[in-house]
Amino acid sequence: MSQSLLYPKASVSRRVVDLCGFWKFQFDPENKGGAEGWTTKLPSPVSMPVPSSFADFFTDKDSREYTGDFWYETEFFVPGEWRDKEIGIRFAAAAHRAVVFVNGREIAVHEGGFTPFVVPLNGAVKWDEPNILVVKCNNELREDRIPVGVTATLQNGRKMAKPYFDFFNYAGLLRPVTLLALPKEHIADFTVRHELKGADTLVHYSVETTGDNVVNLAVFDEDGKQVASASGKDGIVSIDNARLWNVRDAYLYKFVFRILDGSAIIDEYSEDIGIRTVEVRGTDILLNGKPVYLKGFGKHEDSDSNGRGYNPAVIKRDFELMKWISANSFRTAHYPYSEEIYQMADREGFLVIDEIAAVGMMTSTLNFMDAANGKPTAFFQKETMPQLLQNHLTAVEELIRRDRNHACVVAWCLANEPETTDESALPYLEKVFARARSLDVQKRPCTFTSLMTATPDKCKCVQLCDIVCLNRYYGWYVKGGYEIGEAELWFRGELEGWRKRCTDKPFVFSEYGADTDEALHKLPSVMWSQEYQTEYLEMCHRVFDSFDFIKGEQVWNFADFMTVEGIMRVGGNKKGVFTRDRQPKAAAFYFKNRWESLPGDYKDNRNKR
Ligand code: BDP
């Protein structure tokens, strides 16, 4: 069971119990929990909602900035009638690492704060009795883990996170925790790959189970009518006149997988699947064979009080705002998001560039400062690289296993702003790209986002990318304010360079943006004012509109978000088109106007080849 990352769903054969609610919680600054028996009972806990990030609940700085081990405790009950089942606890996300104890016994360790893991429980639980669940988490940043940073120890002995990235190091049991009971023989995983052959739509599927009984697949349309079926662990279903999944026009079929013993159902698992193809051809990104232009955002999972904790209300609001503004896509900067976000993107027809937590791959105290100066940091030559690579590859596996069946996922972003100006990045990233390509049966395009200083003459790794994603800040970090005219010339100059270097790839702006105070208006504009944000955006779009290989614009950021405190950030990063509480800045109306008027196949180059 521990191998299965399938979303927890009850069915005729499966049981799911939600363990969310208030748990006990305690910081362990002296690292003494293990020696003092906290594995069965926390000595002086406070209450803590699960899921959530702990940082923004407390009123003192030591708690907000707390870095080190912290513990959770709760109780759960396992009914005796589950004795012949395989049972486990599923953590949708424990940032950044967790050790799990049941009734005092250590039963699992997991590294990586943004992907799920299941802890098998058989053998560790008491049936028909309460069981004690204790989780020791740790949020220290290290150069051999992702996201990358270091942990400093202050003179008073307190630890402090020093991220190499520009978002607050929120941690905790960020996403739901569930108790699962599955039949011993169960569906562990499956993949689908879609093929459009003239009028025929073929779905190649492959199911992994823990036994040898027969597997059946039945496919239902949105009216509940069965439209196809097949038998066998691997096979093809053909759907006549299939309604394809499209941008902002989603259609989801229900795929029901069953393990059967004669007519008895041993296990059943179903998933809503959008049928579509995605591919890159020349400088086009093709969805179902037709070019698409990405309009949208780099986002964060970030909200008031709950930090990076699962927040369904904010998820809902964000999708409503993205629809209002006429966006069609977003990037999950800078880590895999909650599974429910991909489900909603599937349902609403949004295209997702799915990013891994490989961020901060450049030695830096504040990502945004060092990113601009171009000083080499020899990041990929550090001795921590072999270990970092191992963790990175495991994270790629978990990301792709978790998300590969979502129609919304149209590309994998395998790193954010790695230091690709140095040759040593190439062998490292080659291994990461090779692993991703080997795992995705849909062969989606792979990319990384390119940092500002990795210009066409300096980047050593862009050849790995199927889509080139650029993070560029001309007019903000480079030649901002009154010099914006020069910024535009520099910007155009760089793009001419790219035109020469990569003649046959689509480019997407995965970041561009200007910090903006929601209350500041200035005529004439100055940097930080709402007027400047719009002028800056107009300049960027003028540039994008004049290069036909640019196939998308995802502005940084959807909403203001929290970062470390410091001289460059006023209550966080303010590049949001919306405020942190999801209200529009002036730029939101500007975007709505632009995106409503851009055709869905803007810059269709097919007839030019
Ligand atoms: C880029 C990073 C992003 C930052 C952004 C900024 O990818 O995480 O928040 O710059 O400075 O370098 O706003």
Side-chain angles (χ1 to χ4, degrees), residues 183-212:
K184 286 258 155 66
E185 181 173 357
H186 59 258
I187 294 150
D189 203 356
F190 74 92
T191 58
V192 286
R193 179 170 65 80
H194 313 290
E195 191 186 351
L196 311 181
K197 256 194 172 174
D200 293 335
T201 304
L202 304 179
V203 181
H204 303 250
Y205 73 91
S206 176
V207 186
E208 211 182 283
T209 74
T210 57
D212 296 324

Side-chain angles (χ1 to χ4, degrees), residues 88-103:
I89 294 186
R90 185 183 198 270
F91 294 85
H96 294 296
R97 56 198 62 90
V99 188
V100 181
F101 304 86
V102 169
N103 300 323

Side-chain angles (χ1 to χ4, degrees), residues 111 174 210 352 455 498 570:
E111 171 67 35
L174 299 179
T210 57
V352 174
T455 44
W498 284 117
V570 190

